[in-house]
Amino acid sequence: MSIAIDNRHNEIHSKTSDNGVNSNEIAIVIQNLQKRYGTIDAVKNVSLEVRSGEIFGLLGPNGTGKTTTLRCLCTLVQPDQGLLEVCGISVTQNPGAVRQRLGYVAQEVALDKMMTGRELLEMHGDLYHLSKAQQTDRIEFVLTTLDLLDYADRLIGTYSGGLKKRLDLAAGLLHNPQILVLDEPTAGLDVESRQIMWTLIRQLQQSGTTILITSHYLEEIDALADRVAILDRGTVIASGSPQDLKKSIGGDRVTLRIREFTPLSEASQVREQLLKLDVVKSVTLNEFQGNSLNLVVEAQSDVLAQTESNLNALNLPLFGISRSQPSLEDVYLAVTGKCVSESLN
Amino acid sequence: MTQSTRTSQLADSAQFDYPDLNLSIKISHFIQETRALTKRLFIQLIRRPSTLIAGLVQPLMWLVLFGALFQNAPDGFMGTSGQYQKFLGAGVIVFTAFGGALNAGLPVMFDREFGFLNRLLMAPLVSRSSIVVASAIFIMSLSLLQSIVIISTIAILGAGLPNGLGILLIMAIVMVLVLAVTSLSLALAFSLKGHVELIAVILVTNLPLLFASTALAPLSFMPTWLQWIALLNPLSYAIEPIRYIYQHPDWSLNAIAIVAPWGSVSLIGCLGLLSGFAAVSLYSIQPLLKRSLG
């Protein structure tokens, strides 16, 4: 089952009551979600819709309400206000039915180090009321998919971080949920484990699972997600497909480094000069990258040559210059005003 | 339910609507989830037996050390028999079970802090009471084992052995007390902020409740104000009937175990009061289980 790509831009809200997966069906509805902790607005006003069968990325700086949103959705936190629906079922009114359909893998692994991987999975199987035969089947399946067979009978306490994360995901997948919610599934993982995760996420989508995922790795979301929403200070500030978002901010990106570490005065001087060019829309100084200049320029312009002649005229060297189409990182920077590395601090 | 492909399983689970389960499926699911949670607690115990060993050694130390402390107490000081160990046995049985049950909330609190409890709460449990029942079964089994060891030890030390029915009644009293205190401890684990707070509450409850009960000394030995506290202390209502069974081989259910200013309580009356205590504790934990734990 695959999603109908050509339908992607139609915001059709068709709520079907049958259980068949269909590309227009909405798997998750979040409307005007609000959650306060004391005086802090963890989630101010979040609305989004995830269609059946898509991978939906939730982005945003830390402490911006992503995890709280997920916890409300997963019946772990009672929202103060707002409508939450999973497969057309109200999360607040019928949490039991929602739990059946959801798999939630939290940011922190939730494992018992005194058990073996298999024992933990068997326990999860019992908590989801799978029969012994189903358990055998599903445990075999998740262990194989996540490449954990060799470790299944060892104590979880002896696992590496990547193995723990994989087993945690295996536990979330065990009951074959229609909707999988992944909070930072690849944070801090080694390349191998991350590769396994990516492959698995794509496989799951192909078998019809809807996936809601948060990540700090924008290139990961760019590669995996059909659509994304960017959260900032408890509200959705942008949403759409990565392609659309990139298109919407427009222009190409040029990164110019005069020296490896450019003095601020020189960088500012060049900035003034470049802003005079018609093709340059904006220039931002990036102090995190030795005062490099980040330019937004008109697509298909000869800005590189013009920049070089400007530097020559000012008698300044050129350490490096590169031009690219906007990335999701640029979208993020444009809408939140922060780059990811900055917001992580 | 077919399992030929994953997608068919997916469709099946979608049709499997949670609130419409009939009673017999609900019961079998409840048993399945409770068994799984109980099994986990036993796996932890067997792979990390230090708490079991400590739990068996501690009551023996109580018996030996406290027994020795009051060995030369004047005759008649501790009830009618001159044997302090016989007197102390009932207190040690109850206090050991109480201590174990009071700590029942700790593993749950750690599960909460490590995010493991959220995983359990995310599962479509038929009833979250299975978390309470699993803990209760686990602590009850431990208490049963501890009680058997204590009863055998004091028998060897010369306190004698109650008859079969007496032992059964002792076990019943211990089990009801354990059920009550386990649910209170779990209620604390669900409502307090973290394990530091829980440990503080356990510390401030444990020993004072021991000293403000009839575990170490009879009511008649206490000043009036302490008698009042001891008579409000549920532990006394577990200790006194057990002690009565030990001191009166011809005990009966209607025999008076406690004489309080407001009336006398029989053996069966004590068991009734303890059952009431357990019912209230179990009832009070229900809203906490329904609440989401953020």
Side-chain angles (χ1 to χ4, degrees):
Chain A
M1 252 167 282
S2 68
I3 56 156
I5 309 248
D6 47 344
N7 262 350
R8 207 181 267 171
H9 306 302
N10 297 336
E11 287 290 344
I12 306 167
H13 185 144
S14 76
K15 233 188 283 175
T16 44
S17 55
D18 64 347
N19 288 311
V21 178
N22 115 29
S23 59
N24 284 330
E25 195 188 329
I26 306 294
I28 300 173
V29 178
I30 300 178
Q31 253 172 42
N32 304 107
L33 178 69
Q34 287 178 39
K35 179 67 193 175
R36 250 168 181 280
Y37 287 113
T39 55
I40 299 154
D41 279 314
V43 177
K44 224 181 267 170
N45 187 355
V46 167
S47 298
L48 55 91
E49 282 182 359
V50 180
R51 293 171 201 145
S52 250
E54 78 178 342
I55 299 179
F56 192 97
L58 203 52
L59 307 174
N62 277 353
T64 204
K66 287 177 305 211
T67 298
T68 307
T69 303
L70 297 188
R71 289 163 69 89
C72 287
L73 182 71
C74 295
T75 76
L76 289 173
V77 171
Q78 187 73 33
D80 293 337
Q81 237 169 58
L83 176 81
L84 288 167
E85 277 182 10
V86 168
C87 307
I89 305 162
S90 161
V91 172
T92 43
Q93 280 162 34
N94 199 352
V98 169
R99 286 184 196 122
Q100 291 253 311
R101 291 161 171 82
L102 273 184
Y104 172 49
V105 183
Q107 202 167 341
E108 309 287 334
V109 295
L111 302 170
D112 183 339
K113 62 177 181 176
M114 298 308 291
M115 299 172 101
T116 67
R118 195 183 300 278
E119 284 167 345
L120 182 100
L121 293 173
E122 282 166 357
M123 188 191 78
H124 272 91
D126 281 331
L127 296 182
Y128 282 88
H129 312 120
L130 304 183
S131 70
K132 279 280 165 269
Q134 285 174 319
Q135 285 185 26
T136 315
D137 254 32
R138 288 297 298 166
I139 289 174
E140 186 69 20
F141 171 72
V142 293
L143 287 177
T144 314
T145 319
L146 285 152
D147 203 8
L148 284 167
L149 275 173
D150 291 346
Y151 309 94
D153 297 305
R154 297 193 196 166
L155 287 186
I156 295 167
T158 66
Y159 283 21
S160 69
L163 286 177
K164 282 184 183 154
K165 196 76 201 175
R166 269 144 68 185
L167 180 67
D168 202 40
L169 181 58
L173 279 177
L174 190 70
H175 60 292
N176 202 352
Q178 282 169 280
I179 293 168
L180 188 61
V181 178
L182 303 172
D183 199 355
E184 300 279 349
T186 57
L189 283 193
D190 56 90
V191 181
E192 188 204 350
S193 290
R194 185 178 298 188
Q195 207 53 53
I196 291 175
M197 292 273 187
W198 282 38
T199 314
L200 176 71
I201 289 170
R202 290 209 174 95
Q203 262 177 27
L204 286 168
Q205 184 187 28
Q206 249 140 48
S207 68
T209 310
T210 308
I211 296 160
L212 178 58
I213 179 173
T214 74
S215 177
H216 274 117
Y217 302 112
L218 295 186
E219 77 284 357
E220 173 171 289
I221 296 294
D222 205 349
L224 288 174
D226 299 303
R227 290 193 307 141
V228 300
I230 300 176
L231 254 65
D232 195 22
R233 289 181 214 104
T235 54
V236 177
I237 50 172
S239 67
S241 71
Q243 294 83 344
D244 285 352
L245 287 175
K246 286 184 275 188
K247 223 179 279 167
S248 74
I249 62 165
D252 283 358
R253 294 298 182 278
V254 170
T255 305
L256 167 65
R257 300 177 75 177
I258 304 165
R259 303 173 195 274
E260 190 168 6
F261 298 99
T262 315
L264 186 62
S265 58
E266 270 180 23
S268 310
Q269 188 191 4
V270 174
R271 180 171 181 268
E272 294 307 313
Q273 284 298 318
L274 292 178
L275 278 173
K276 287 177 193 156
L277 299 176
D278 286 341
V279 290
V280 174
K281 293 184 194 159
S282 76
V283 181
T284 326
L285 288 185
N286 188 343
E287 54 172 314
F288 292 96
Q289 210 181 59
N291 286 326
S292 68
L293 285 87
N294 295 346
L295 287 69
V296 179
V297 301
E298 263 169 37
Q300 282 120 31
S301 56
D302 60 343
V303 71
L304 294 191
Q306 291 191 42
T307 308
E308 280 186 58
S309 58
N310 260 290
L311 284 174
N312 276 334
L314 290 166
N315 219 355
L316 285 171
L318 175 62
F319 180 75
I321 188 163
S322 66
R323 177 186 195 146
S324 62
Q325 311 227 307
S327 65
L328 204 51
E329 172 100 34
D330 296 314
V331 174
Y332 189 90
L333 184 67
V335 296
T336 65
K338 293 173 237 189
C339 57
V340 177
S341 52
E342 207 178 328
S343 65
L344 281 174
N345 295 324
Chain B
M1 204 183 263
T2 60
Q3 301 157 46
S4 49
T5 64
R6 288 196 302 283
T7 33
S8 80
Q9 229 176 307
L10 185 83
D12 280 346
S13 73
Q15 283 148 16
F16 182 69
D17 227 346
Y18 180 78
D20 305 328
L21 294 180
N22 70 41
L23 189 65
S24 74
I25 293 181
K26 269 189 182 171
I27 291 171
S28 82
H29 282 179
F30 185 77
I31 292 171
Q32 190 182 12
E33 64 202 34
T34 307
R35 201 184 46 208
L37 293 170
T38 314
K39 187 176 158 197
R40 171 176 173 238
L41 295 171
F42 278 104
I43 287 176
Q44 289 177 334
L45 182 74
I46 289 160
R47 299 213 177 127
R48 201 164 30 187
S50 51
T51 47
L52 177 64
I53 295 164
L56 290 174
V57 171
Q58 200 201 28
L60 303 185
M61 286 165 65
W62 280 110
L63 277 173
V64 172
L65 295 178
F66 262 92
L69 191 60
F70 291 99
Q71 204 170 24
N72 299 327
D75 225 24
F77 163 60
M78 300 294 170
T80 47
S81 97
Q83 252 183 338
Y84 187 61
Q85 251 140 15
K86 199 172 193 172
F87 177 87
L88 189 63
V92 173
I93 291 172
V94 170
F95 184 61
T96 303
F98 171 70
L102 197 59
N103 285 314
L106 268 178
V108 175
M109 180 57 99
F110 284 120
D111 278 352
R112 219 182 106 187
E113 290 180 339
F114 288 121
F116 196 85
L117 185 68
N118 272 340
R119 259 298 172 78
L120 305 184
L121 297 180
M122 260 299 291
L125 303 177
V126 191
S127 164
R128 287 178 176 175
S129 298
S130 52
I131 299 171
V132 180
V133 175
S135 286
I137 292 175
F138 175 70
I139 302 286
M140 281 174 164
S141 320
L142 272 187
S143 300
L144 199 68
L145 186 64
Q146 288 173 316
S147 303
I148 291 170
V149 170
I150 299 166
I151 290 173
S152 317
T153 308
I154 50 182
I156 293 166
L157 289 173
L161 202 62
N163 60 17
L165 275 178
I167 290 180
L168 271 184
L169 185 59
I170 292 174
M171 291 305 176
I173 290 169
V174 169
M175 292 301 115
V176 174
L177 180 73
V178 164
L179 186 62
V181 179
T182 298
S183 26
L184 278 187
S185 180
L186 291 179
L188 289 173
F190 285 132
S191 49
L192 291 178
K193 227 174 157 185
H195 74 272
V196 175
E197 287 78 5
L198 182 60
I199 290 172
V201 172
I202 290 174
L203 280 178
V204 89
T205 329
N206 207 356
L207 283 182
L209 272 178
L210 169 71
F211 289 116
S213 77
T214 57
L216 303 175
L219 270 183
S220 57
F221 187 65
M222 300 176 188
T224 319
W225 65 267
L226 188 57
Q227 281 186 17
W228 276 89
I229 295 175
L231 284 168
L232 290 171
N233 184 345
L235 293 189
S236 300
Y237 293 86
I239 295 163
E240 287 306 303
I242 295 177
R243 183 165 291 151
Y244 191 93
I245 293 168
Y246 261 102
Q247 291 176 341
H248 304 84
D250 57 338
W251 62 273
S252 77
L253 283 175
N254 294 320
I256 301 303
I258 291 184
V259 183
W262 58 80
S264 305
V265 188
S266 64
L267 262 62
I268 191 77
C270 286
L271 190 60
L273 285 174
L274 286 174
S275 305
F277 174 42
V280 171
S281 312
L282 279 171
Y283 183 73
S284 69
I285 198 174
Q286 293 306 318
L288 292 173
L289 285 176
K290 287 199 186 82
R291 205 185 64 177
S292 340
L293 302 156

